[in-house]
Amino acid sequence: NFSSIVEVDLYVLFQDGPFEVRLRKISAVNDPQTFASPVISLLSNEEIKTLIDKTIQSGGGLYDKGYHELCIALYGSVLNTILAA
């Protein structure tokens, strides 16, 4: 029942300097939407380790700032990227 929606929040996090956001459309959906993880070439175990280390650094910062869901999404995306490589 979309008539019960009274508020929508939009966040643009961690952007330095001036920028502009133009919102063209918001669509309500019945089911959760998912998107494919990026596909990259990982040629060595060292590249995988570097990706994991950088992901932990980024995800830890998100988690520490209280963005737990974003942290989970980041880790899940990187895991799927590694599995697809």
Side-chain angles (χ1 to χ4, degrees):
N1 179 0
F2 299 123
S3 66
S4 64
I5 298 172
V6 294
E7 181 178 347
V8 174
D9 295 323
L10 176 68
Y11 297 90
V12 181
L13 303 173
F14 314 117
Q15 300 298 315
D16 291 329
F19 62 93
E20 184 176 309
V21 174
R22 292 184 184 186
L23 185 60
R24 297 189 185 269
K25 181 178 181 180
I26 294 179
S27 299
V29 295
N30 291 321
D31 298 313
Q33 304 296 299
T34 60
F35 303 93
S37 296
V39 176
I40 60 173
S41 174
L42 296 169
L43 301 176
S44 70
N45 288 342
E46 187 60 33
E47 287 181 337
I48 294 170
K49 181 185 179 310
T50 298
L51 177 59
I52 292 170
D53 288 343
K54 289 185 178 199
T55 301
I56 291 170
Q57 289 173 0
S58 297
L62 289 170
Y63 189 88
D64 291 345
K65 290 180 174 98
Y67 299 109
H68 302 156
E69 293 83 7
L70 288 178
C71 179
I72 292 167
L74 176 64
Y75 289 164
S77 177
V78 170
L79 174 61
N80 288 331
T81 295
I82 292 170
L83 292 173

